[in-house]
Amino acid sequence: MGVIDTINKLVDIGKDAAENTANAFTGLTGENTDIYFTGLRFVPIEYIPEQFDDETCKVVKINFDGPLSGTAVLMINEEDSVKLEKLLLLDFVWDGLVNKAELPEYSEIEESVLNEVANVVLASFLNVFANALKSEINITTPEFTKDSGFNIVESLVLDMADKGIDNALVFDNKIDIVGRFPIKSNIFVLIDPEKLQNLDNL
């Protein structure tokens, strides 16, 4: 497959993954959700941190293995993340008030909620790759981090460099929970170099 064909296939996968993820999000939130795939970037890793500033972001990282192996990352700025967490925690908080149960600290809840979101979002995203490759992709337990966008991405870049990864696929998506609010997110798909040739099989 030529370079243009591979890029076009990745764009198609990005669109399909956004649709698949929107359906998963609707099931997770109970709200109609649209996810707009706004672009695919193939970025040299040393340029990625420059695209982020000191704004606090929440990130969940999941490793994956199969015909493609590497790391998938969901990154949401704190302001948008809090909107999403409030929506997902409404039933939980209400049950706690009704049953007069003691609620855990918010810091504990936010990590649990974002890990669950990432499990749904990234698994739905990677499943589209797996289907295109007629195989399965397995994922690990999510890892949560909260820090400035620059610091988070810089740390990811150092990890990638240690693994010999020179470039990252970045899928930009805008999540719109219909009638409520938009959420801007980045999904990074960091594929191990030894598996990159498998993209030719898409």
Side-chain angles (χ1 to χ4, degrees), residues 61-65 70-71 119 126 137-143:
K61 180 173 70 172
I62 289 177
N63 295 322
F64 60 90
D65 193 23
T71 301
N119 255 333
L126 290 170
I137 292 178
N138 302 307
I139 63 173
T140 60
T141 303
E143 300 174 34

Side-chain angles (χ1 to χ4, degrees), residues 19-195:
E19 182 178 350
N20 200 38
T21 303
N23 293 333
F25 237 95
T26 297
L28 188 65
T29 63
E31 302 282 345
N32 289 332
T33 306
D34 292 327
I35 297 186
Y36 304 98
F37 170 64
T38 57
L40 165 71
R41 294 179 286 144
F42 197 58
V43 188
I45 60 171
E46 65 266 25
Y47 297 148
I48 298 177
E50 299 173 3
Q51 301 170 34
F52 297 91
D53 53 26
D54 289 335
E55 180 181 34
T56 300
C57 293
K58 297 179 185 180
V59 163
V60 181
K61 180 173 70 172
I62 289 177
N63 295 322
F64 60 90
D65 193 23
L68 296 177
S69 64
T71 301
V73 179
L74 176 69
M75 186 170 184
I76 308 176
N77 69 51
E78 185 172 37
E79 183 179 352
D80 283 349
S81 178
V82 169
K83 294 176 190 174
L84 179 59
E85 290 154 23
K86 286 180 178 177
L87 175 64
L88 295 173
L89 287 170
L90 279 176
D91 288 341
F92 178 77
V93 172
W94 178 254
D95 287 344
L97 291 173
V98 169
N99 297 317
K100 297 182 172 55
E102 184 176 348
L103 296 174
E105 293 292 325
Y106 183 72
S107 59
E108 298 174 24
I109 301 175
E110 69 172 336
E111 179 172 344
S112 175
V113 168
L114 263 295
N115 282 346
E116 180 60 26
V117 168
N119 255 333
V120 170
V121 170
L122 296 177
S124 298
F125 206 91
L126 290 170
N127 279 343
V128 176
F129 276 93
N131 291 338
L133 291 165
K134 298 179 174 59
S135 186
E136 292 184 2
I137 292 178
N138 302 307
I139 63 173
T140 60
T141 303
E143 300 174 34
F144 174 83
T145 306
K146 180 165 72 171
D147 201 345
S148 75
F150 180 87
N151 287 344
I152 289 170
V153 176
E154 187 177 47
S155 175
L156 283 171
V157 163
L158 291 173
D159 289 343
M160 286 185 277
D162 287 343
K163 294 171 73 173
I165 298 174
D166 297 319
N167 300 284
L169 283 174
V170 181
F171 294 86
D172 295 314
N173 296 272
K174 178 185 174 186
I175 303 168
D176 186 10
I177 298 175
V178 178
R180 288 183 177 266
F181 41 74
I183 297 171
K184 182 71 178 356
S185 68
N186 291 111
I187 293 174
F188 298 91
V189 179
L190 317 170
I191 301 172
D192 292 337
E194 63 271 18
K195 297 290 184 75

